[in-house]
Amino acid sequence: MAGNTFGELFKVTTFGESHGKAIGVVIDGCPANMGIDLDAIQHELDRRKPGQSAITTQRKESDTFQVLSGVFEGKTLGSPMAFIINNEDQKPEDYAHLQTAYRPSHADYTYDVKYGIRDHRGGGRASARETAARVIAGAVAKQLLNLYGVHICAYVSAVGKLKLEKDYKQLDLSTTDDNIVRCPDAATADKMIELIQDTRAKGDTIGGTVTCVIKGTPVGLGEPVFDKLHADLAKAMLSINAVHGFEYGSGFEGTTKYGSENNDIFTKEDGKITTLSNHSGGIQGGISNGMDIYFNVGFKPVATIMQTQDTVDAEGNATEIKGKGRHDPCVVPRAVPIVEAMAALVLADHLLRSRVAKL
Amino acid sequence: MAGNTFGELFKVTTFGESHGKAIGVVIDGCPANMGIDLDAIQHELDRRKPGQSAITTQRKESDTFQVLSGVFEGKTLGSPMAFIINNEDQKPEDYAHLQTAYRPSHADYTYDVKYGIRDHRGGGRASARETAARVIAGAVAKQLLNLYGVHICAYVSAVGKLKLEKDYKQLDLSTTDDNIVRCPDAATADKMIELIQDTRAKGDTIGGTVTCVIKGTPVGLGEPVFDKLHADLAKAMLSINAVHGFEYGSGFEGTTKYGSENNDIFTKEDGKITTLSNHSGGIQGGISNGMDIYFNVGFKPVATIMQTQDTVDAEGNATEIKGKGRHDPCVVPRAVPIVEAMAALVLADHLLRSRVAKL
Amino acid sequence: MAGNTFGELFKVTTFGESHGKAIGVVIDGCPANMGIDLDAIQHELDRRKPGQSAITTQRKESDTFQVLSGVFEGKTLGSPMAFIINNEDQKPEDYAHLQTAYRPSHADYTYDVKYGIRDHRGGGRASARETAARVIAGAVAKQLLNLYGVHICAYVSAVGKLKLEKDYKQLDLSTTDDNIVRCPDAATADKMIELIQDTRAKGDTIGGTVTCVIKGTPVGLGEPVFDKLHADLAKAMLSINAVHGFEYGSGFEGTTKYGSENNDIFTKEDGKITTLSNHSGGIQGGISNGMDIYFNVGFKPVATIMQTQDTVDAEGNATEIKGKGRHDPCVVPRAVPIVEAMAALVLADHLLRSRVAKL
Amino acid sequence: MAGNTFGELFKVTTFGESHGKAIGVVIDGCPANMGIDLDAIQHELDRRKPGQSAITTQRKESDTFQVLSGVFEGKTLGSPMAFIINNEDQKPEDYAHLQTAYRPSHADYTYDVKYGIRDHRGGGRASARETAARVIAGAVAKQLLNLYGVHICAYVSAVGKLKLEKDYKQLDLSTTDDNIVRCPDAATADKMIELIQDTRAKGDTIGGTVTCVIKGTPVGLGEPVFDKLHADLAKAMLSINAVHGFEYGSGFEGTTKYGSENNDIFTKEDGKITTLSNHSGGIQGGISNGMDIYFNVGFKPVATIMQTQDTVDAEGNATEIKGKGRHDPCVVPRAVPIVEAMAALVLADHLLRSRVAKL
């Protein structure tokens, strides 16, 4: 109710402020007797962690997690799984100036009004650090999904105005992590990296887009009318810090088309019902149809820039602020595992929900 | 859990198949002692109803509702409010051919697999008729919101490639309903109407975009981290039939910008903290900041076209299908009140939720 | 959240005031493709309905229900099932005196304070008439449970101080409905009927107890730690009007025992693990163990008596009140189907929930 | 959904196995800006902890908790509060024999069947150790309730057949913790202690009853029809390990009465509407009426006894088992703070829920 839980049957609750003692996550509803690969969880955290490359923040956080409960001799018990990451490498002095000035396009002001109190150190609960907890939960969800043949791959498809002009079907998504920007097209990746480095050199930040593809989804996931599969994906994506847009299948481009262009014709292939095109993005009527699910997630530029900006303090007095500390010039490379994690949470939840749809 | 309920505190459950006995909605959680204007509810239903103009489906449904409970002497009791609309003007013979052929880009196939049974008459539960129930609930939510000074206005901002090139601040939104396409710019409206009529003449359909603006939202609505105000708006919008995209504030355009361009500088105006620009779309960190909330909702073209299309039946045998019955050539004019209704449900829910955020 | 919904996966929402237009229920989450026996639903309603015998209220309500949605050609669609019963035989004049005087031990005063408004006619939402909606939902749940071999039988085990001195295993529960008090022991039933008639003759009312037995529950229903099967049964029973107590298995009597007396020894019988005794009432650690589930539900005497009682009005001024209208002298005979219905809702919900506990 | 969360607005999720790394709790929904007294939390834990007196288990656990999040400079942030207690003093060798034999009247068998896997060390998730996490959450809830004048006191009212023959109004509840059995009547307490010691000497265990009194509840808490205040209290209590019965107000005794005896007559006292008697137990129609709330909670004898008992192993083979380790001969003295904690969770949740009932 207070907004820190996601999912209905595969239920995930995150907790923790960026500069508190620890952040963590409780997963309630993961089926019992499932093997848990802890290394695979750490691998996902490493894809998200700060300091991983020349184009991310240089903050160093090892992001090593501990399992507190719910796993016994390498398997899930069916009880809540709790994970924590202790916070470290905190430089609260980087944030002292934030106690009295609202950072533009940050959550400082709205948190202050909503709660009447705020942990100003590094964004507190509003910090993207919270997404590390999501990545843990998503890594567990992926392990559940893999058992059912569902695989999720995201990649960077745009940085600023620089757009990857290929469709996911023209790309080898296994190469996404081969470069530090996570774009599975080497030539475009190089240009993106250069653009991000130029941006950082100017003390600025830049937006971008992540595309996500889900293969192997069984037919039947999604709960009309409100919990349509794509509606839950939209919410999941918009719940990630800095996301301002979501489109699936033919997306906004499809809204400019005629029905005769956009419809997906059913056919039979290898004894299976399938569609000739896939403008529906693998979802019809809110329910997966077995085709690839794909969608775009748009991230605004990071709000913390290394330039002086005008602002006000809590009393409304004019002041100015300049980004200190170590921030990402562009969030999308590190957002790739977060997008995958949130997609995994949605799919795992709907996989479980689909078990009760019919006799 | 089965997907027919929306909201946490202002909780709305819809029911009903398009060709069953009735559709309806139960609202649980509307505060007691609130005056209810039944005419205002009917007015919203009339904005959505079929047959309202030359560019909508010619199906005639009076869409007259009944209140079954929760209202006493013109006021809410605090108990569940149930509303129903009896179904009428049903021509099930229009749908007999659907028993054996899957309509392209419709929910026929996915419902069949998910549930193992389907009411093939007019889409059953997957029919957009279900949104009439949402409009009733949204009309009640609007009455609650009005008491707090929150006002919601949506309008058509694109039909196919024809885009309204003005920003909402350049428009007089009180004129939206002055034309049948619901575009608050007379010249553009005329062109849109013409485009829709041409499309219909070809037996085709076309997509479009609805823009929604919410004014007067108090600071503090939205529940981080998962139930961010825009995340719930995204889900609400994507849960509407045919919606494929959502963006708020600077949206996808903003993802191509630098932070120094996109940030909203805080200032003080009339003794109140406000921002100079509003790329944030009235929401920061998932919480409303008191500025206008605005977003775009993209609708794909209606799947039912009056042309012959190839398809398969439940066994996968090739067959063909041609749209019968009376369908909309473009859904956006009738979608305007639906977008407003869903926005109202989100805002009303978060208004109530905000009451418990602090001591 | 506002309290009108029960269950997590088999989710039931009731609506309606006793003297409004209709009462009803929406069931969301019943699996698709299940045959629905409408006569069986009506049969359960008839067991609950007023005017059924000499020892119940003489109010006549036919309690005929309509199905509005969710059922197609005799089967569930997987969509929400809505049912309504129109209200009739209303004598609001019986209630005019209640506008200004609070009935002792009724909900008039607390509703007034909580909601600031009240439908004074017949108790409004607080009327036991609401339980008719529960009985409909329970009848559907029973049909689901029967497919899994689960059967629920309740009966009257005490009226006032007159207690049925036999254990359920000594009774033939198929004879429960053979007499109007619903006690499966003819001699005790006769005495109970006499006691109720004497009570009514004095213008008084009397309390009693209903015992419920559930046979055939599969091992594994119940979700520790909070949603233990018996915890949800307790809530279900206490949510019925006038219930003041719940005990299962060895109950309060068991709290006076030693562990060596109360423990149930495991053994193997016909190749199945079972227990020699069943003080656990078929539930261990909150999870069904396959043995009979049994529990007692205590009902206080009906608050409306045909005697003059002192009370106050909304301003606290002293006044007096005398029961008018037609009320039950003892609620337990009509409570039997309600107890069964609520038990069925709990079991059906947990049956569905158990589907996701393990891989 | 998987049963580890309690409450709707004041939402509490516990996690942890008795012999895993830690147990803990996340509280989501506690209002921001509330002062938190950590010592008061530790005090409640100390009332529950093992080894506290001669009549409890001699296991030594310091039960020292850590706050991981949600508290900043002594106040709540409005974000989730996470607390953990690391497990220590584990003697898993005490439990090795449990791997192959089902303890009578324990959850071993049902967990095995439900989840297909079980942490056999000390009961794992089914251990009463989980209630330490509830006590932490309850201590926070009490601090919220105290701000509104609500106070909760529980005490031991029966051990086996030895019953405290005084009503709570005849007792000084501030003396409850003056003796180790937590009975606020010194003479009875002595007898209870003796009975428990005798029981332990025989290697047996014994049941008992805890009575709970809540003073100062504002009028209006409770959400009809399903979430009646007493229904949620019943569920809360039955969710505690070993509880088999719940009754409130006049309880089962009241079911033997006439309406004319049991009704509570309204009157006005000191300008406030009140009732002459309080058989309703402070709740009418599921909503608090401002009078004292009181109820009894019945605990069966602890299942682990120090005697040899017959049982079976997972394959159903006959074997025997004898309690090892250090267990409570009677659970009620340590159950007093647990009952209070669960009552506090219910009241805090309904306090928040009541904020949205009316305009």
Side-chain angles (χ1 to χ4, degrees):
Chain A
M1 183 64 45
N4 299 288
T5 298
F6 190 84
E8 297 287 327
L9 286 184
F10 192 95
K11 208 182 257 296
V12 169
T13 302
T14 70
F15 57 83
E17 279 69 46
S18 61
H19 288 64
K21 195 165 170 56
I23 61 166
V25 62
V26 177
I27 305 172
D28 196 20
C30 187
N33 228 344
M34 182 176 105
I36 286 290
D37 179 346
L38 299 177
D39 293 336
I41 298 173
Q42 190 61 55
H43 173 68
E44 294 294 338
L45 278 175
D46 291 346
R47 296 174 76 209
R48 194 213 74 99
K49 81 173 169 195
Q52 65 181 261
S53 79
I55 56 170
T56 69
T57 169
Q58 294 309 300
R59 251 190 345 265
K60 293 283 179 205
E61 287 159 10
S62 65
D63 281 0
T64 310
F65 72 92
Q66 297 176 60
V67 198
L68 300 184
S69 66
V71 180
F72 181 60
E73 299 179 346
K75 289 191 165 178
T76 55
L77 280 168
S79 59
M81 301 162 76
F83 299 86
I84 58 169
I85 301 176
N86 288 311
N87 289 326
E88 48 180 56
D89 188 36
Q90 300 165 2
K91 302 199 174 174
E93 65 275 17
D94 280 353
Y95 299 102
H97 65 300
L98 301 180
Q99 227 170 333
T100 49
Y102 289 140
R103 290 170 297 170
S105 289
H106 267 281
D108 304 340
Y109 167 60
T110 51
Y111 267 65
D112 248 13
V113 176
K114 182 177 186 75
Y115 300 111
I117 183 173
R118 178 168 54 96
D119 180 353
H120 64 277
R121 301 167 305 167
R125 185 71 182 147
S127 164
R129 177 147 183 75
E130 181 268 340
T131 57
R134 303 184 184 202
V135 167
I136 293 174
V140 174
K142 278 185 173 183
Q143 297 182 30
L144 173 61
L145 292 168
N146 288 348
L147 298 177
Y148 291 85
V150 183
H151 294 279
I152 300 173
C153 293
Y155 61 91
V156 170
S157 53
V159 172
K161 291 185 206 309
L162 181 55
K163 206 179 154 186
L164 170 59
E165 293 298 351
K166 288 175 185 160
D167 188 79
Y168 80 86
K169 290 187 294 293
Q170 302 164 281
L171 298 165
D172 176 359
L173 301 186
S174 72
T175 69
T176 296
D177 278 14
D178 290 355
N179 58 66
I180 58 176
V181 79
R182 293 203 169 87
C183 171
D185 179 83
T188 310
D190 286 347
K191 288 185 219 160
M192 286 173 169
I193 292 166
E194 200 185 319
L195 175 54
I196 293 173
Q197 283 170 330
D198 285 357
T199 302
R200 185 210 293 266
K202 291 187 288 189
D204 214 337
T205 59
I206 193 162
T209 302
V210 172
T211 297
C212 186
V213 183
I214 307 173
K215 289 174 175 290
T217 308
V219 190
L221 307 199
E223 300 292 326
V225 294
F226 293 110
D227 299 351
K228 293 183 164 103
L229 189 57
H230 55 270
D232 278 352
L233 285 167
K235 171 165 177 170
M237 297 306 141
L238 269 292
S239 79
I240 300 172
N241 307 46
V243 174
H244 269 247
F246 171 88
E247 55 179 1
Y248 83 103
S250 57
F252 277 104
E253 177 71 19
T255 70
T256 67
K257 303 283 199 211
Y258 290 102
S260 56
E261 298 171 297
N262 198 62
N263 278 355
D264 296 319
I265 299 304
F266 282 110
T267 187
K268 193 177 193 173
E269 216 180 87
D270 303 331
K272 243 181 55 179
I273 291 175
T274 179
T275 59
L276 290 179
S277 54
N278 184 18
H279 301 115
S280 300
I283 303 171
Q284 286 169 331
I287 301 169
S288 60
N289 69 357
M291 304 293 286
D292 293 345
I293 295 170
Y294 62 98
F295 53 85
N296 294 321
V297 186
F299 290 79
K300 71 163 188 173
V302 171
T304 301
I305 59 177
M306 297 297 121
Q307 303 175 3
T308 301
Q309 298 176 92
D310 291 329
T311 190
V312 298
D313 64 16
E315 280 72 45
N317 302 313
T319 180
E320 41 180 53
I321 201 163
K322 187 178 167 181
K324 287 187 194 170
R326 296 150 297 171
H327 295 275
D328 287 284
C330 180
V331 81
V332 285
R334 289 179 57 209
V336 165
I338 304 169
V339 164
E340 289 180 8
M342 291 308 300
L345 295 187
V346 172
L347 271 282
D349 192 42
H350 278 284
L351 185 78
L352 296 182
R353 291 169 77 173
S354 73
R355 290 195 191 178
V356 288
K358 59 183 165 190
L359 273 192
Chain B
M1 184 61 48
N4 298 289
T5 297
F6 190 83
E8 297 287 330
L9 286 184
F10 192 94
K11 207 181 257 294
V12 168
T13 303
T14 71
F15 57 83
E17 279 69 47
S18 61
H19 287 65
K21 196 166 170 56
I23 61 166
V25 61
V26 177
I27 305 172
D28 195 21
C30 189
N33 230 344
M34 181 176 105
I36 286 290
D37 179 346
L38 298 177
D39 292 338
I41 298 174
Q42 189 62 55
H43 173 68
E44 294 294 340
L45 277 176
D46 291 346
R47 295 175 76 209
R48 196 213 71 99
K49 83 173 168 194
Q52 67 181 262
S53 81
I55 56 169
T56 70
T57 168
Q58 295 308 300
R59 252 189 346 263
K60 293 282 180 208
E61 288 159 9
S62 64
D63 281 358
T64 311
F65 73 92
Q66 296 177 61
V67 198
L68 300 185
S69 66
V71 181
F72 181 61
E73 297 177 352
K75 288 191 166 177
T76 56
L77 281 168
S79 60
M81 302 163 75
F83 298 86
I84 58 170
I85 302 176
N86 288 313
N87 289 326
E88 47 180 55
D89 189 35
Q90 301 165 358
K91 302 200 175 173
E93 64 276 14
D94 280 353
Y95 299 102
H97 64 302
L98 300 180
Q99 227 170 334
T100 50
Y102 288 140
R103 289 171 298 169
S105 289
H106 266 281
D108 303 342
Y109 167 61
T110 49
Y111 267 66
D112 247 14
V113 176
K114 183 178 185 71
Y115 300 111
I117 183 173
R118 180 168 53 97
D119 180 352
H120 66 277
R121 300 166 307 166
R125 184 71 182 146
S127 166
R129 178 149 182 71
E130 181 268 339
T131 59
R134 302 184 183 203
V135 167
I136 293 174
V140 174
K142 277 183 173 184
Q143 297 182 30
L144 173 61
L145 291 167
N146 289 349
L147 297 176
Y148 291 85
V150 183
H151 294 278
I152 300 171
C153 293
Y155 60 91
V156 170
S157 53
V159 171
K161 292 184 204 313
L162 182 53
K163 206 176 153 187
L164 172 57
E165 295 295 350
K166 287 176 187 161
D167 188 79
Y168 80 87
K169 290 187 294 293
Q170 302 164 284
L171 298 165
D172 177 0
L173 300 187
S174 73
T175 69
T176 296
D177 278 13
D178 289 356
N179 57 66
I180 57 176
V181 78
R182 293 202 169 85
C183 173
D185 180 81
T188 310
D190 286 347
K191 288 186 218 159
M192 286 174 169
I193 292 165
E194 200 184 317
L195 176 54
I196 294 173
Q197 282 169 329
D198 285 357
T199 302
R200 185 210 293 270
K202 290 187 289 190
D204 214 337
T205 60
I206 194 163
T209 302
V210 171
T211 296
C212 184
V213 182
I214 308 173
K215 288 171 175 291
T217 309
V219 190
L221 307 199
E223 299 292 326
V225 294
F226 293 110
D227 299 350
K228 292 184 163 101
L229 190 56
H230 54 270
D232 278 352
L233 285 167
K235 173 168 176 168
M237 297 307 142
L238 269 292
S239 79
I240 301 172
N241 308 44
V243 173
H244 270 245
F246 171 87
E247 54 178 1
Y248 84 103
S250 57
F252 278 103
E253 177 71 17
T255 69
T256 68
K257 303 282 199 214
Y258 289 102
S260 56
E261 299 171 297
N262 197 64
N263 278 355
D264 296 319
I265 300 303
F266 282 110
T267 187
K268 194 175 191 173
E269 215 181 271
D270 303 332
K272 241 182 56 178
I273 291 175
T274 178
T275 59
L276 290 178
S277 55
N278 184 17
H279 301 115
S280 300
I283 302 170
Q284 286 169 331
I287 301 169
S288 60
N289 68 358
M291 305 293 286
D292 294 343
I293 295 169
Y294 62 97
F295 54 84
N296 293 323
V297 187
F299 291 79
K300 69 161 188 173
V302 171
T304 301
I305 59 177
M306 297 297 122
Q307 303 174 3
T308 302
Q309 298 175 92
D310 290 328
T311 191
V312 297
D313 64 15
E315 280 73 42
N317 301 314
T319 178
E320 39 179 56
I321 201 163
K322 188 179 167 178
K324 289 188 195 169
R326 296 149 298 171
H327 296 275
D328 287 285
C330 179
V331 81
V332 286
R334 291 178 57 208
V336 164
I338 304 168
V339 164
E340 289 180 9
M342 290 307 300
L345 294 187
V346 172
L347 270 284
D349 193 42
H350 278 284
L351 185 79
L352 297 182
R353 290 169 77 172
S354 73
R355 290 194 190 179
V356 287
K358 61 184 164 191
L359 273 191
Chain C
M1 185 61 48
N4 299 288
T5 298
F6 190 84
E8 297 287 328
L9 287 183
F10 192 95
K11 209 182 253 298
V12 168
T13 303
T14 70
F15 57 84
E17 279 69 46
S18 61
H19 288 65
K21 198 167 168 53
I23 60 165
V25 62
V26 177
I27 305 172
D28 195 20
C30 188
N33 229 344
M34 182 177 104
I36 285 290
D37 179 346
L38 299 176
D39 292 339
I41 298 174
Q42 190 61 56
H43 173 68
E44 294 294 338
L45 279 174
D46 291 346
R47 295 175 77 210
R48 195 213 74 99
K49 83 172 169 195
Q52 66 181 263
S53 80
I55 57 171
T56 71
T57 168
Q58 295 309 303
R59 257 189 345 264
K60 292 285 180 203
E61 287 158 9
S62 65
D63 281 359
T64 310
F65 72 93
Q66 297 176 59
V67 197
L68 300 184
S69 66
V71 181
F72 181 61
E73 299 178 348
K75 288 190 167 177
T76 56
L77 280 166
S79 59
M81 302 162 75
F83 299 86
I84 58 170
I85 302 175
N86 288 312
N87 288 326
E88 49 182 53
D89 187 35
Q90 301 163 359
K91 303 200 173 172
E93 67 275 15
D94 279 353
Y95 299 103
H97 64 302
L98 301 180
Q99 228 170 334
T100 50
Y102 290 140
R103 289 171 296 169
S105 289
H106 267 281
D108 303 343
Y109 167 62
T110 52
Y111 266 65
D112 247 14
V113 176
K114 181 176 186 75
Y115 299 111
I117 183 173
R118 180 167 52 97
D119 180 354
H120 65 278
R121 301 166 306 168
R125 184 68 182 149
S127 165
R129 176 147 183 73
E130 181 268 340
T131 57
R134 302 183 184 204
V135 168
I136 293 174
V140 174
K142 278 184 173 182
Q143 297 183 29
L144 173 61
L145 292 167
N146 288 348
L147 298 176
Y148 291 85
V150 183
H151 294 278
I152 300 171
C153 292
Y155 60 92
V156 170
S157 53
V159 172
K161 293 186 204 310
L162 180 54
K163 207 176 153 188
L164 171 57
E165 294 296 350
K166 287 177 187 160
D167 189 78
Y168 79 87
K169 290 187 294 293
Q170 302 164 282
L171 298 164
D172 176 1
L173 300 186
S174 72
T175 68
T176 296
D177 278 14
D178 289 355
N179 58 66
I180 58 177
V181 79
R182 294 203 169 86
C183 172
D185 180 83
T188 310
D190 286 347
K191 289 185 218 160
M192 286 173 170
I193 292 165
E194 200 184 319
L195 174 55
I196 294 173
Q197 282 169 329
D198 285 356
T199 302
R200 186 211 293 271
K202 290 187 287 191
D204 214 336
T205 60
I206 193 163
T209 301
V210 171
T211 296
C212 184
V213 183
I214 307 173
K215 289 172 173 290
T217 308
V219 189
L221 306 198
E223 301 290 327
V225 293
F226 293 110
D227 299 351
K228 293 184 164 102
L229 189 57
H230 55 269
D232 278 353
L233 284 167
K235 172 166 176 168
M237 297 307 140
L238 270 292
S239 80
I240 301 172
N241 308 46
V243 174
H244 270 245
F246 170 87
E247 56 178 359
Y248 82 104
S250 57
F252 277 104
E253 176 71 17
T255 70
T256 66
K257 303 282 198 208
Y258 290 103
S260 55
E261 298 170 298
N262 198 61
N263 279 355
D264 296 319
I265 299 304
F266 282 111
T267 187
K268 194 175 192 174
E269 212 180 276
D270 303 332
K272 243 180 57 179
I273 291 174
T274 180
T275 57
L276 290 179
S277 54
N278 184 19
H279 301 116
S280 299
I283 303 171
Q284 286 171 332
I287 302 170
S288 60
N289 68 358
M291 304 294 287
D292 294 345
I293 294 169
Y294 62 96
F295 53 85
N296 294 322
V297 186
F299 291 79
K300 70 162 188 174
V302 171
T304 301
I305 59 177
M306 297 298 122
Q307 304 176 4
T308 301
Q309 298 175 94
D310 291 328
T311 189
V312 298
D313 64 15
E315 280 73 42
N317 301 314
T319 178
E320 42 179 51
I321 200 162
K322 188 178 167 183
K324 288 186 195 172
R326 297 151 295 171
H327 295 276
D328 286 285
C330 180
V331 82
V332 286
R334 289 179 58 209
V336 165
I338 304 169
V339 165
E340 289 180 7
M342 291 308 299
L345 294 187
V346 172
L347 271 282
D349 193 41
H350 278 283
L351 186 77
L352 296 181
R353 291 169 77 173
S354 72
R355 289 194 190 179
V356 288
K358 59 184 166 189
L359 275 191
Chain D
M1 185 60 49
N4 299 288
T5 298
F6 191 84
E8 298 287 328
L9 287 183
F10 192 95
K11 207 182 257 295
V12 168
T13 303
T14 70
F15 57 84
E17 279 68 47
S18 60
H19 288 65
K21 196 166 171 53
I23 61 165
V25 63
V26 178
I27 305 173
D28 196 21
C30 187
N33 231 343
M34 182 176 105
I36 286 290
D37 180 345
L38 299 177
D39 293 338
I41 298 174
Q42 189 62 54
H43 173 68
E44 294 294 340
L45 278 175
D46 291 346
R47 294 175 77 210
R48 195 214 73 100
K49 83 172 169 197
Q52 66 182 262
S53 80
I55 57 168
T56 70
T57 167
Q58 294 309 302
R59 253 190 344 267
K60 291 283 179 205
E61 288 159 7
S62 66
D63 281 359
T64 311
F65 71 93
Q66 294 177 63
V67 197
L68 300 184
S69 67
V71 180
F72 182 60
E73 298 177 348
K75 288 190 166 178
T76 57
L77 280 167
S79 59
M81 303 162 76
F83 299 85
I84 58 170
I85 302 175
N86 289 311
N87 288 327
E88 47 182 54
D89 188 36
Q90 300 164 358
K91 302 200 176 172
E93 66 275 15
D94 280 354
Y95 298 103
H97 64 301
L98 301 179
Q99 229 171 331
T100 48
Y102 290 140
R103 289 171 297 170
S105 289
H106 267 282
D108 303 340
Y109 167 62
T110 51
Y111 266 65
D112 247 14
V113 176
K114 182 177 186 73
Y115 299 112
I117 184 175
R118 178 168 54 97
D119 181 351
H120 65 277
R121 300 166 306 167
R125 184 69 182 149
S127 164
R129 177 147 183 73
E130 181 269 339
T131 57
R134 304 184 183 202
V135 167
I136 293 174
V140 174
K142 278 185 173 183
Q143 297 183 31
L144 174 60
L145 292 167
N146 288 349
L147 298 176
Y148 292 85
V150 183
H151 294 278
I152 300 171
C153 293
Y155 61 90
V156 170
S157 52
V159 171
K161 292 185 204 312
L162 181 56
K163 208 177 154 188
L164 171 58
E165 294 297 349
K166 289 177 186 162
D167 189 78
Y168 79 87
K169 291 188 294 292
Q170 302 164 280
L171 298 164
D172 176 0
L173 300 187
S174 73
T175 69
T176 297
D177 278 14
D178 290 355
N179 57 67
I180 57 175
V181 78
R182 293 202 169 87
C183 172
D185 181 82
T188 310
D190 286 345
K191 288 185 220 159
M192 287 174 170
I193 292 166
E194 199 185 319
L195 174 54
I196 294 173
Q197 282 169 328
D198 286 355
T199 302
R200 186 212 291 272
K202 289 187 288 188
D204 213 337
T205 61
I206 193 163
T209 301
V210 172
T211 296
C212 184
V213 182
I214 307 173
K215 289 174 173 290
T217 307
V219 190
L221 307 199
E223 300 291 328
V225 292
F226 293 110
D227 300 350
K228 293 185 164 102
L229 190 56
H230 54 270
D232 278 352
L233 284 168
K235 171 166 176 168
M237 297 307 141
L238 270 291
S239 79
I240 301 172
N241 307 47
V243 174
H244 269 245
F246 171 87
E247 56 178 358
Y248 83 104
S250 57
F252 277 103
E253 176 71 18
T255 70
T256 66
K257 303 280 200 215
Y258 290 103
S260 56
E261 299 169 297
N262 198 63
N263 279 354
D264 295 320
I265 299 304
F266 283 111
T267 187
K268 194 176 193 173
E269 213 179 273
D270 302 332
K272 242 181 55 179
I273 291 175
T274 180
T275 58
L276 290 179
S277 53
N278 184 21
H279 302 116
S280 299
I283 303 170
Q284 286 171 331
I287 301 170
S288 60
N289 68 358
M291 304 294 286
D292 294 343
I293 295 170
Y294 62 97
F295 53 86
N296 294 322
V297 185
F299 291 79
K300 69 162 189 175
V302 171
T304 301
I305 58 177
M306 297 297 123
Q307 303 175 1
T308 300
Q309 297 176 92
D310 290 328
T311 189
V312 298
D313 63 16
E315 279 71 43
N317 301 314
T319 178
E320 42 180 53
I321 201 162
K322 187 178 167 179
K324 290 186 195 171
R326 296 149 298 171
H327 296 275
D328 286 285
C330 180
V331 82
V332 287
R334 290 179 56 209
V336 164
I338 305 169
V339 164
E340 289 180 11
M342 290 308 301
L345 294 187
V346 172
L347 271 284
D349 192 43
H350 278 284
L351 185 79
L352 297 182
R353 291 169 77 171
S354 73
R355 290 195 189 178
V356 288
K358 61 184 166 190
L359 273 191

